């Protein structure tokens, strides 16, 4: 009995010790990193008072010397004003050109206008700690862990963990999946990043801070084309590659436009110089996302998914999307420019003024779109943006060649998959019996009667074409094939369709068919 | 008539010393005539060891109490604790300094690293602001008190006495011997020979009273000035108790100023100590107090600090802070 009690007591003590150790490890994540931090550096550390050593504790803490005492014996009240005073984080920094320097609260108005900086909501809920406090994300003493060393930019958590973790526990942070812990206004991004297809922000650590000096202590990345900063071993994505936490505001892009939403303010992208169709743009201009009206979402994506990032050699599984979206191509999705020639995407005399697009593209214009219109969560109610999806390629729907649900999110199913045979009625499509004069030369016949998916004909390049193409079972799709092609108009894919022009289609399923077609 | 008055005074002084029964200057280690003369004016000749220009106040042999004290405690008497720079007597003793450190200069010199003797200077952190000329007897009563080290009971001459009793508030491992000898003196006065339990901060704050009380901070801050008499184990305090108790790594070292980061463990109060051993044993309830960071007399660094806290380029720049805070 006594032995059992002793064992129980020992186990209890051991449990307490383990819990205490874990807690200590979490709570004291700043242990020992200050000396090697940038705040504590003798070369670039805090220098409020030139009579004191640079980086010295007393640059911020006056021990007991302050005439008017403040919390923690600080020289000023323990709030953002302390950080943004004394020549420290209050400047509009003028960085050297040619690089991007990591988000920095140099512009105080920007901070207080930002989504984070304007939020007085508490985090964690139930406390009085407002989201807008610098200390919500930063530890002025610098945090770190034994695996990664000091965390860059004096953040309390390492990189993405600062967004969705709390006290080192993933999912408990502002953008975590614990609904009870999220401050008002914050969305759950962590759940998106747990999905099988995602921008994997955990893939690399500290890559942004690898190139720094006293002149740019928070790291930088090159803005030069094919600089190597975005390719090879440097290929990466972090939350701050797309979001500037000191400047972004809430809000997504306006559907029907390709301008950025507020969530992308404060970062940068690249604008390609487009040449002839299907030529790879190799010249890019840097675009600072300083306003939502002047920045385009694709410019951000091109930063990593084009020649700008990797030159002529895309990483395995990737393509140069700047080439695919080139408005000089024969057909493309309109993320850069409107579809200037396809009169069937909006009501016009030639399609009987039928609307062929779902909302919000059903406004009578040849609208533009953004990458995140297709690349986002598969669940409509989830936060927008290409964070993650249960569908491949972070798509909002299945890219399967036999599945039309993805395409009919935007292109009306009533037009391209009418539930009943429209006969000679105008559907709005150029490929209906009313236009072609032939019942088989219609979407109704191919999609509804033969059960072909959209991508059996559109937007699936394959070379060589599949041996038995007339199948309804999906065959592998090619990355980027729906973005654009210079092979044929109408995103005809060159796999099942070996030749195409309006009024003449040569599929691999049957012989050439000629029919009446409206103008392009 | 004069000699009668002086005789009465002498007897009173002797009796008061005997009654108080303090640590030092109260036994056979010193006699009245070592410091005073009763015959200055009788023959007109200088008494032995007396300064010219007398007689002096309180019949001292020399012009001031500081001068008198330092005549022994300046390193010239190998059996008396040396409190005037340069101090070498503790070299190799196991402690770098004596418990109170040392003055940087004799009286009349302003110093940034020590209490200034014989100079009218503002009293830091006093309410209301005031200045005073500090001397050895501002803090120590040469005729002994009931306090440890003959510290006076009431430094600012107001309010209730502040008791810091040996073997209650402060503990020693070795006692000075009577008559004194060099090795015993070193053993008794070296810093590591002293363990603290309570009372020191109250005593310092009698003059530096703006430091007490320390206004509570707003959570997560606990204080608005660095606390004293605060235990490492205070709930939510921004210290690393494990690091403190472990006593190695950041902040901890062998020697101050050896170009290696780390200094010897700072002094602390052990609030439940009952003897020297328990007073010097690191524990989670160890408290920081004034002497954790400052030498009472002074030391090699600004404000009498134990480590070069404000000297750029020093390896020990953060050491004292790191021992507790481990940032």
């Amino acid at each position: 009995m006594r032995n059992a009690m002793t064992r129980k007591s020992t186990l209890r003590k051991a449990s307490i010790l383990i819990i205490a150790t874990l807690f200590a490890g979490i709570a004291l994540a700043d242990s020992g990193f200050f000396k090697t931090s940038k705040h504590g550096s003798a070369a670039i550390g805090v220098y409020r008072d030139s009579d004191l050593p640079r980086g010295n504790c007393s640059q911020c803490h006056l021990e007991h010397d302050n005439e008017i005492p403040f919390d923690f014996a600080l020289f000023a009240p323990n709030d953002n004003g302390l950080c943004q005073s004394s020549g420290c984080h209050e400047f509009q920094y003028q960085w050297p050109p040619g690089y991007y320097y990591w988000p920095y609260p140099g512009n105080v108005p920007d901070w207080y206008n930002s989504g984070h900086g304007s939020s007085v909501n508490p985090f964690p809920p139930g406390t009085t700690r407002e989201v807008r406090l610098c200390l919500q994300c930063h530890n002025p003493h610098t945090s770190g862990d034994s695996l990664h060393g000091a965390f860059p930019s004096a953040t309390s958590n390492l990189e993405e963990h600062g967004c969705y973790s709390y006290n080192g526990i993933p999912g408990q942070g502002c953008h975590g999946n614990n609904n009870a812990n999220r401050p008002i206004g914050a969305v759950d991004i962590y759940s998106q990043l747990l999905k099988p297809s995602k921008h994997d922000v955990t893939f690399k650590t500290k890559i942004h801070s690898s190139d720094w000096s006293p002149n740019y202590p928070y790291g930088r990345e090159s803005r030069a084309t094919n600089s190597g900063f975005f390719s090879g071993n440097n290929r990466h994505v972090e939350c701050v590659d797309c979001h500037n936490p000191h400047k972004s505001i809430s809000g997504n892009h306006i559907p029907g436009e390709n301008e950025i939403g507020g969530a992308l303010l404060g970062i940068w992208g690249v604008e390609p110089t487009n040449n002839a169709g299907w030529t790879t743009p190799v010249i890019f201009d840097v675009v600072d996302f300083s306003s939502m009206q002047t920045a385009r979402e694709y410019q951000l994506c091109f930063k990593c998914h084009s020649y700008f990032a990797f030159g002529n050699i895309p990483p395995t599984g990737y393509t140069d999307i700047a080439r695919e979206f080139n408005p000089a191509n024969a057909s493309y999705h309109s993320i850069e420019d409107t579809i200037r020639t396809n009169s069937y995407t909006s009501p016009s005399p030639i399609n009987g003024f039928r609307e062929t697009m779902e909302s919000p593209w059903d406004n009578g214009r040849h609208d533009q779109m953004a990458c995140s219109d297709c690349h986002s969560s598969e669940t409509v109610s989830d936060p927008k943006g290409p964070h993650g999806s249960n569908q491949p390629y972070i798509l909002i729907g299945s890219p399967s060649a036999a599945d039309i649900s993805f395409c009919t999110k935007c292109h009306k199913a009533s037009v391209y998959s009418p539930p009943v045979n429209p006969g000679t009625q105008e559907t709005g499509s150029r490929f209906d019996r009313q236009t072609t004069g032939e019942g088989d030369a219609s979407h109704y016949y191919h999609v509804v009667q033969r059960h072909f998916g959209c991508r059996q004909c559109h937007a699936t390049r394959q070379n060589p074409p599949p041996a038995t193409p007339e199948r309804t079972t999906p065959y592998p799709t090619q990355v980027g094939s729906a973005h654009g092609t210079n092979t044929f108009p109408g995103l005809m894919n060159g796999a099942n369709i070996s030749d195409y022009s309006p009024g003449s289609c040569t599929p691999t399923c049957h012989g050439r068919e000629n029919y009446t077609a409206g103008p392009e | 008539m004069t000699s009668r008055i002086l005789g009465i005074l002498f007897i009173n002084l002797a009796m008061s010393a005997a009654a108080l029964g303090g640590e030092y200057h109260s036994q056979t280690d010193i006699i009245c005539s070592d410091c005073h003369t009763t015959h200055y004016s009788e023959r007109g000749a200088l008494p032995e060891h007396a300064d010219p220009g007398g007689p002096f106040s309180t019949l001292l042999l020399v012009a001031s109490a500081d001068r008198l004290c330092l005549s022994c405690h300046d390193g010239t008497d190998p059996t008396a604790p040396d409190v005037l720079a340069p101090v070498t007597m503790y070299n190799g003793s196991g402690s770098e300094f004596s418990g109170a450190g040392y003055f940087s200069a004799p009286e009349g010199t302003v110093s940034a690293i020590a209490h200034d003797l014989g100079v009218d200077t503002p009293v830091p952190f006093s309410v209301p602001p005031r200045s005073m000329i500090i001397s050895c007897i501002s803090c120590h009563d040469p005729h002994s008190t009931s306090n440890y080290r003959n510290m006076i009971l009431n430094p600012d001459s107001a309010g209730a006495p502040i008791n810091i009793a040996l073997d209650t508030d402060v503990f020693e491992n070795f006692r000075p011997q009577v008559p004194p000898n060099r090795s015993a003196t070193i053993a008794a006065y070296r810093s590591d020979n002293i363990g603290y339990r309570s009372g020191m901060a109250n005593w310092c704050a009698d003059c530096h009273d703006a430091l007490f009380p320390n206004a509570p901070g707003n959570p997560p801050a606990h204080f608005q000035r660095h606390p004293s008499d605060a235990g490492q184990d205070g709930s939510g305090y921004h210290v690393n108790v494990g690091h403190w108790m472990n006593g190695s790594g950041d902040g901890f070292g062998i020697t101050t100023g050896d170009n290696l980061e780390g200094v010897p463990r700072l002094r602390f109060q052990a609030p439940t100590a009952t003897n020297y051993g328990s007073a010097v044993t690191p524990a989670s309830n160890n408290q920081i107090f004034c002497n954790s960071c400052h030498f009472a007399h002074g030391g090699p660094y600004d404000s009498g600090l134990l480590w070069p806290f404000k000297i750029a380029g020093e390896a020990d720049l953060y050491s004292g802070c790191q021992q507790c805070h481990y940032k």
Side-chain angles (χ1 to χ4, degrees):
Chain A
M1 181 67 172
R2 183 176 175 79
N3 283 343
M5 287 180 66
T6 304
R7 209 162 41 237
K8 196 179 285 183
S9 171
T10 305
L11 282 170
R12 191 182 303 148
K13 285 176 183 172
S15 303
I16 293 169
L17 181 64
I18 290 167
I19 292 168
T21 304
L22 287 171
F23 180 75
I26 293 166
L28 300 170
D30 55 354
S31 298
F33 290 102
F34 181 70
K35 288 186 306 177
T36 57
S37 75
K38 286 159 188 171
H39 268 169
S41 165
I44 63 171
V46 184
Y47 205 43
R48 176 186 61 88
D49 185 342
S50 58
D51 288 336
L52 298 169
R54 187 183 280 275
N56 185 244
C57 307
S58 53
Q59 291 285 357
C60 293
H61 298 279
L62 303 183
E63 295 78 48
H64 44 56
D65 290 355
N66 39 348
E67 291 291 328
I68 303 172
F70 297 110
D71 289 348
F72 294 117
L74 290 163
F75 70 88
N78 182 31
D79 57 27
N80 290 5
L82 182 141
C83 310
Q84 295 164 340
S85 72
S86 309
C88 295
H89 301 291
E90 58 186 329
F91 291 119
Q92 175 64 62
Y93 288 91
Q94 299 297 319
W95 299 114
Y99 286 83
Y100 179 73
Y101 300 89
W102 284 107
Y104 201 63
N107 188 330
V108 175
D110 273 355
W111 168 245
Y112 285 109
N113 289 328
S114 74
H116 289 134
S118 62
S119 174
V120 296
N121 297 312
F123 179 79
T127 68
T128 57
R129 288 169 58 86
E130 297 172 342
V131 166
R132 64 180 174 177
L133 292 176
C134 303
L135 295 177
Q136 283 286 11
C137 297
H138 297 282
N139 173 359
H141 302 125
T142 296
S143 298
D145 61 33
S146 55
L147 181 62
H148 303 98
F151 298 160
S153 300
T155 52
S156 301
N157 293 278
L158 181 63
E159 298 174 349
E160 62 276 0
H161 289 281
C163 305
Y164 59 63
S165 297
Y166 181 62
N167 275 347
I169 306 173
Q172 300 301 307
C174 292
H175 296 286
N177 58 357
N178 182 348
N179 295 341
N181 240 25
R182 280 200 308 278
I184 295 170
V187 293
D188 172 14
I189 300 300
Y190 182 60
S191 292
Q192 304 306 310
L193 299 174
L194 294 176
K195 293 179 175 177
S197 175
K198 62 194 171 236
H199 273 110
D200 188 359
V201 293
T202 66
F203 178 59
K204 291 275 188 179
T205 54
K206 299 181 77 168
I207 194 163
H208 288 157
S209 57
S210 61
D211 180 16
W212 69 274
S213 86
N215 290 329
Y216 43 95
Y218 297 93
R220 65 177 185 174
E221 64 188 8
S222 174
R223 294 178 159 205
T225 300
N226 195 17
S227 64
F229 272 65
F230 303 94
S231 59
N233 286 332
N234 288 330
R235 191 145 181 88
H236 68 278
V237 63
E238 299 289 354
C239 302
V240 294
D241 281 307
C242 299
H243 303 287
N244 182 337
H246 298 132
K247 190 163 182 174
S248 63
I249 61 175
S250 63
N252 305 303
H253 90 94
I254 300 171
E257 309 283 353
N258 64 359
E259 296 165 357
I260 63 167
L264 302 185
L265 271 176
I267 52 163
W268 65 285
V270 292
E271 176 66 30
T273 297
N274 291 310
N275 293 306
W278 213 244
T279 57
T280 300
V282 296
I283 298 172
F284 294 84
D285 291 323
V286 167
V287 180
D288 282 310
F289 287 10
S290 54
S291 84
M292 290 186 284
Q293 288 70 43
T294 58
R296 304 287 185 266
E297 191 175 297
Y298 68 87
Q299 294 167 338
L300 169 63
C301 305
F302 284 7
K303 188 170 73 176
C304 295
H305 293 277
S306 75
Y307 182 96
F308 178 83
F310 44 67
N312 282 316
I313 309 173
T316 302
Y318 291 83
T319 58
D320 189 324
I321 66 173
R323 180 171 69 164
E324 293 161 353
F325 285 118
N326 185 348
N329 288 339
S331 53
Y332 52 89
H333 271 105
S334 54
I335 66 115
E336 280 193 64
D337 202 354
T338 57
I339 299 174
R340 288 161 296 189
T341 57
N342 191 338
S343 52
Y344 285 84
T345 56
S346 61
S348 69
I350 61 171
N351 69 358
F353 295 101
R354 296 297 179 94
E355 181 57 68
T356 63
M357 301 299 293
E358 294 284 1
S359 173
W361 291 273
D362 57 348
N363 55 9
R365 299 186 303 164
H366 296 296
D367 283 315
Q368 291 166 319
M369 58 187 297
C371 303
S372 60
D373 290 336
C374 293
H375 295 280
S376 192
S377 169
E378 80 291 342
T379 303
V380 174
S381 58
D382 280 347
K384 304 303 179 192
H387 303 112
S389 170
N390 286 316
Q391 296 291 349
Y393 310 121
I394 320 178
L395 286 169
I396 60 173
S398 168
S400 163
D403 190 342
I404 68 168
S405 64
F406 175 28
C407 301
T408 54
K409 290 179 186 297
C410 300
H411 300 276
K412 276 184 177 293
S414 60
V415 173
Y416 300 103
S417 177
V420 296
N421 190 344
T424 57
Q425 292 181 349
E426 173 68 84
T427 64
S429 164
R430 66 154 52 88
F431 195 53
D432 62 15
R433 183 176 177 185
Q434 188 270 336
T435 302
T436 64
E438 298 179 30
D440 291 353
S442 69
H443 280 113
Y444 176 76
Y445 173 77
H446 284 82
V447 177
V448 179
Q449 292 198 314
R450 299 300 303 272
H451 305 294
F452 291 156
C454 308
R455 301 188 73 187
Q456 298 279 16
C457 299
H458 300 281
T460 300
R461 296 186 300 272
Q462 280 205 301
N463 187 18
T468 55
E470 190 184 354
R471 300 190 308 180
T472 56
T473 52
Y475 52 80
T477 56
Q478 187 165 340
V479 176
S481 58
H483 296 154
T485 175
N486 201 37
T487 307
F488 304 116
L491 287 175
M492 293 301 182
N493 60 26
N496 285 352
I497 308 297
S498 59
D499 191 23
Y500 171 79
S501 64
S504 176
C505 182
T506 308
T508 56
C509 309
H510 52 75
R512 176 185 298 273
E513 293 287 341
N514 294 311
Y515 49 86
T516 304
E520 183 57 29
Chain B
M1 181 62 182
T2 304
S3 61
R4 189 182 302 162
I5 293 171
L6 290 172
I8 293 169
L9 175 65
F10 174 78
I11 292 167
N12 282 341
L13 287 169
M15 288 180 67
S16 67
L20 287 167
E23 280 189 290
Y24 317 103
H25 292 185
S26 63
Q27 303 174 52
T28 56
D29 59 328
I30 195 167
I31 59 175
C32 302
S33 59
D34 286 342
C35 303
H36 300 278
T37 176
T38 58
H39 302 291
Y40 222 108
S41 60
E42 296 264 333
R43 298 179 184 172
L46 281 179
E48 190 179 3
H49 305 304
D51 275 355
F56 302 107
S57 172
T58 62
L59 301 181
L60 291 176
L61 286 167
V62 296
S64 72
D66 293 338
R67 182 170 164 75
L68 179 69
C69 298
L70 291 175
S71 67
C72 292
H73 294 286
D74 63 352
T76 53
D77 180 347
T79 69
D82 184 0
V83 298
L84 184 64
V87 176
T88 59
M89 69 183 298
Y90 301 101
N91 293 354
S93 71
S95 294
E96 295 181 315
F97 305 102
S98 67
Y102 54 80
F103 299 97
S104 63
E107 61 178 346
T109 305
V110 175
S111 166
I113 63 173
H115 274 112
D116 299 327
L117 295 174
V119 182
D120 192 4
T121 53
V123 178
F125 311 111
S126 70
V127 178
R130 61 195 170 117
S131 65
M132 69 179 291
I133 299 173
I134 197 171
S135 78
C136 302
I137 59 172
S138 300
C139 300
H140 301 278
D141 186 337
H143 301 123
S144 86
T145 72
S146 57
N147 271 354
Y148 157 78
R149 294 285 195 259
N150 288 336
M151 290 162 63
I152 62 173
L153 298 174
N154 205 329
D156 75 341
S157 306
I162 299 170
N163 297 303
I164 302 175
L166 188 63
D167 294 332
T168 300
D169 300 301
V170 184
F171 302 92
E172 291 179 330
N173 193 21
F174 300 103
R175 299 291 171 89
Q177 292 188 2
V178 179
N181 67 75
R182 178 175 170 79
S183 61
T185 295
I186 292 171
Y189 287 88
R190 70 186 186 91
S191 181
D192 284 356
N193 185 50
I194 306 153
Y196 302 87
R197 196 195 76 154
S198 60
M200 296 298 293
N202 278 337
W203 195 89
C204 300
D206 210 37
C207 291
H208 305 294
D209 50 353
L211 299 178
F212 269 6
N214 192 347
N218 300 296
H222 299 85
F223 306 99
Q224 294 199 321
R225 288 191 163 110
H226 198 291
S228 185
D229 291 6
Q232 295 263 358
D233 56 352
S235 177
Y237 283 6
H238 302 272
V239 294
N240 189 322
V241 182
H243 184 70
W244 166 256
M245 292 179 65
N246 185 39
S248 62
D250 276 22
F252 293 96
I254 305 298
T255 306
T256 307
D258 58 357
N259 290 324
L260 296 173
E261 196 278 325
V263 298
R265 183 188 289 278
L266 301 182
R267 297 175 293 184
F268 55 88
Q269 287 184 163
T272 57
T274 56
N275 52 39
Y276 171 79
S278 55
V280 296
T281 302
S284 61
N285 66 345
N286 289 163
Q287 297 174 337
I288 188 171
F289 69 123
C290 306
N291 305 70
S292 297
C293 302
H294 300 277
F295 286 115
H297 295 156
Y301 307 114
D302 188 52
S303 303
L305 285 166
L306 272 72
W307 73 96
F309 177 53
K310 296 181 178 178
I311 301 178
E314 285 283 348
D316 294 329
L317 187 66
Y318 305 113
S319 297
C321 306
Q322 285 290 80
Q323 289 193 5
C324 295
H325 295 287
Y326 191 35
K327 292 296 183 184

